[in-house]
């Protein structure tokens, strides 16, 4: 039996037909969007609040939070469904002025946030790239960073000072 890897969230932002950001969220945590720099995704749309909790992490998985009137489409176990249809059918749970949908590991979708479209899906995380190792010559060893000219000059200077001082101290007797 193979170990089943927990899927991670892959999110892409599209504005005016161009991908402006795509990210794999390896750490499972709630995802916020808005124009505040503290959000997971900073979206420069003033129609959005400064911060909006879009994907809320629960013990069982993610919830998609959205307000009534939000345009979007989800691919869930029961097929492709519009957000408005989920609200009409009562499949979206109401929480204050928000609606919530439970997202499974196979869920994917598209949510319209002003002029920005957010695409998401759950994917198996790709392996982490290996850490780069420098070649042995670039890594260096104990003596590779020694400035040999300065070391030689310091050694000769020390010998020229220490040897006569020791000689005078122990071998030369001055009359009293």
């Amino acid at each position: 039996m193979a170990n089943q890897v927990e899927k991670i969230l892959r999110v892409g932002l599209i504005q005016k037909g161009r991908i402006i950001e795509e990210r794999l969220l390896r750490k499972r945590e709630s995802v916020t969007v808005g124009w505040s720099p503290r959000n997971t995704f900073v979206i420069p749309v003033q129609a959005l609040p400064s911060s909006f909790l879009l994907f809320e992490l629960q013990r069982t998985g993610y919830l998609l939070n959205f307000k009534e009137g939000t345009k979007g489409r989800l691919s869930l176990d029961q097929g492709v469904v519009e957000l408005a249809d989920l609200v009409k059918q009562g499949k979206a749970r109401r929480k204050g002025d928000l609606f919530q949908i439970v997202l499974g590991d196979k869920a994917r979708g598209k949510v319209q946030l002003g002029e920005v479209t957010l695409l998401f899906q759950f994917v198996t995380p790709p392996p982490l790239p290996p850490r780069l190792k420098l070649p042995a010559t670039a890594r260096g060893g104990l003596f590779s960073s020694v400035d040999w000219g300065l070391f030689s000059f310091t050694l000769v200077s020390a010998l020229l000072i220490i040897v006569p001082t020791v000689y005078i101290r122990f071998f030369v007797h001055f009359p009293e």
Side-chain angles (χ1 to χ4, degrees):
M1 195 159 116
N3 268 350
Q4 207 168 21
V5 178
E6 204 169 50
K7 292 192 174 187
I8 61 172
L9 191 58
R10 177 183 178 197
V11 178
L13 298 176
I14 299 174
Q15 186 174 27
K16 297 180 184 173
R18 296 188 63 174
I19 297 174
I20 57 173
E21 187 173 0
E22 181 183 3
R23 219 184 304 168
L24 288 172
L25 302 172
R26 290 184 181 273
K27 187 176 177 186
R28 288 180 63 92
E29 60 187 2
S30 295
V31 176
T32 57
V33 295
W35 47 266
S36 172
R38 294 184 181 189
N39 291 313
T40 310
F41 290 95
V42 178
I43 300 176
V45 176
Q46 292 298 324
L48 287 175
S50 65
S51 184
F52 179 73
L53 181 62
L54 187 64
F55 296 104
E56 185 176 341
L57 183 64
Q58 302 285 311
R59 283 184 294 132
T60 57
Y62 280 99
L63 296 175
L64 173 67
N65 293 321
F66 61 96
K67 293 187 176 189
E68 192 168 7
T70 301
K71 293 181 182 177
R73 190 177 322 173
L74 300 178
S75 174
L76 302 171
D77 293 335
Q78 63 264 27
V80 178
V81 187
E82 295 284 333
L83 292 178
D85 293 340
L86 290 170
V87 172
K88 287 177 190 171
Q89 297 168 3
K91 293 183 179 178
R93 185 177 69 187
R94 189 173 194 93
K95 182 181 177 187
D97 65 339
L98 298 177
F99 289 95
Q100 295 181 324
I101 298 289
V102 177
L103 299 174
D105 276 354
K106 295 179 182 173
R108 60 184 180 185
K110 165 177 130 172
V111 179
Q112 193 72 34
L113 304 169
E115 59 192 45
V116 175
T117 302
L118 184 136
L119 301 173
F120 71 91
Q121 71 181 118
F122 291 94
V123 296
T124 304
L128 292 171
R131 293 189 67 192
L132 296 177
K133 269 184 115 176
L134 291 173
T137 55
R139 272 185 273 150
L142 182 61
F143 297 108
S144 65
S145 61
V146 173
D147 181 357
W148 290 106
L150 179 63
F151 177 76
S152 302
F153 177 77
T154 305
L155 182 63
V156 169
S157 298
L159 289 175
L160 287 176
I161 294 170
I162 293 172
V163 170
T165 304
V166 170
Y167 177 76
I168 291 171
R169 171 70 177 96
F170 291 108
F171 298 109
V172 176
H173 298 288
F174 294 104
E176 288 182 21

